[in-house]
Amino acid sequence: MILAESPYLLYSDGEGNIFEDLSLYATGRTGWDAVPVPEDEWIEIPEGGSLYELPGRRGIGIDVKTGDMRLCEKGWAVAAFIPPAHTGLYIAAYETMADAPTLPLFCYTAASWFNGKFYVPAVRIENDIRQESEGFDTAKIETGVTKLLAAYPHNRLVKHLAENCCLTYHCPAARNFFLGRWECPIPSSPACNANCVGCISFQPEEETIVSTQDRLTFKPTAEEIVEFTVPHLESAPFPIVSFGQGCEGEPLLMWETIRESIKEIRKHTIKGSININTNGSKPDAVKALCEAGLNSMRVSTNSAREKIYTPYYRPNNYKFEDIIESLKVVRSFGGWTSINYFVFPGMTDSVEEYEALRKLIRETDLCMIQWRNFNIDPDWYMGKIGVAETGECMGIKQMMELIHEEFPNLKFGYFNPSMERIKGNFEADFAH
Ligand code: SF4
């Protein structure tokens, strides 16, 4: 539903209660700037979304009488965490007080209120329903955990996926595994060769924020990996098994074990897709995995520009060009490639980034962009990578439209596609 007029700003009393301020229209943030949000870019907050109060921050709104921008002094600013499959178009707009704490690793999309409902500037970018909150039945998940722990009593990885990923972190991929469907996670690497500012599995002592998951503490064997992945590929609908998860370091550091696992898996089943989520740092290892039978690869990046990538990833012994080379290698084997593109309004939609992304798509013959919300404190991120000025921006929605127009075969989404989508009708409604 397109709003008839601008929605109102939200604020919190600092005790978890949220209110609308009818004297201020809501705005959005792009880069360092607060801007009006076009009415047709607000949607009702999707099921599974949640609202956050932002301590030490005052919301920026537009005075309904004067049209001037001013702060809401009634309470703290409010932002929305929008659920997967949706991409945020503007960040929450606020002014940060001197003693404000760094915000934890979540996304902070703009949020507003109109006619009794909460709104966010976002688009649904993905049909697939694998992470819809209403699709997770806790009782069925717990039954699945009991069943699979009994089926694999000596498997450290199944134990990790059950106790940590599924029952503690509530990881949607782990929960789908224990429900016997879709994408199954295979964390494998306790170490990483990058030092991302916003790493979700490791945060240095000196940082005030914590990682949202703890990093895996052991190196699984190929036997442990193969034991539960073959039955999953054989029995799950639209099956995918994915190396590279949020609770580990970089899987390419375990490429020999992964190669051995892929070879063994393909001796037992040809079903489904074997995917790796990676920082793409080791093209030679990627080549070895493709020779073994890897089907698809997703490379994570905050930018298609080396000068924005390097200060964020802080790579050890690899460089931006290596991730480009890895994408090319998989395409040379006919594999599927995606970028896990961390969307940051004001950075992602800058004209410079747009040009760099066009070049990356052409150079690597990329198959898919997963337009992911960037889970990071905006001020902290831009401060850490040293960006004071973002340059001219076009808006995330317009950028998506331009990329789609120029590259009509390039797929947009949020999740790794199943083989049925890769080989079949990609747009088909996999409502499962
Ligand atoms: S590549 Fe992944 S595991 Fe490594 S530092 Fe970055 S976010 Fe963390």
Side-chain angles (χ1 to χ4, degrees), residues 191-202 215 245-246 248-250 278-279 300 312-313 318 342:
C192 190
N193 58 354
N195 307 283
C196 297
V197 171
C199 179
I200 56 176
S201 66
F202 176 78
R215 212 172 260 179
Q245 298 296 326
E248 65 173 304
E250 173 47 42
T278 170
N279 64 18
S300 294
Y312 177 76
Y313 272 78
Y318 79 91
F342 304 153

Side-chain angles (χ1 to χ4, degrees), residues 90-150:
Y90 296 86
I91 302 165
Y94 51 77
E95 190 161 290
T96 305
M97 309 295 145
D99 57 351
T102 302
L103 299 170
L105 297 171
F106 298 114
C107 72
Y108 299 98
T109 300
S112 66
W113 184 90
F114 189 76
N115 260 357
K117 294 181 177 159
F118 295 112
Y119 287 81
V120 290
V123 288
R124 178 155 191 141
I125 198 76
E126 169 70 72
N127 271 342
D128 190 313
I129 60 165
R130 79 182 67 169
Q131 296 198 7
E132 308 283 273
S133 55
E134 58 269 35
F136 291 111
D137 178 319
T138 305
K140 285 190 183 147
I141 291 168
E142 287 167 359
T143 306
V145 166
T146 309
K147 198 179 100 210
L148 291 180
L149 283 175

Side-chain angles (χ1 to χ4, degrees), residues 180-182 231-240 271 420:
R181 63 188 191 184
W182 312 333
H232 183 81
L233 288 167
E234 278 289 305
S235 61
F238 306 96
I240 307 169
K271 287 188 176 171
E420 289 81 357

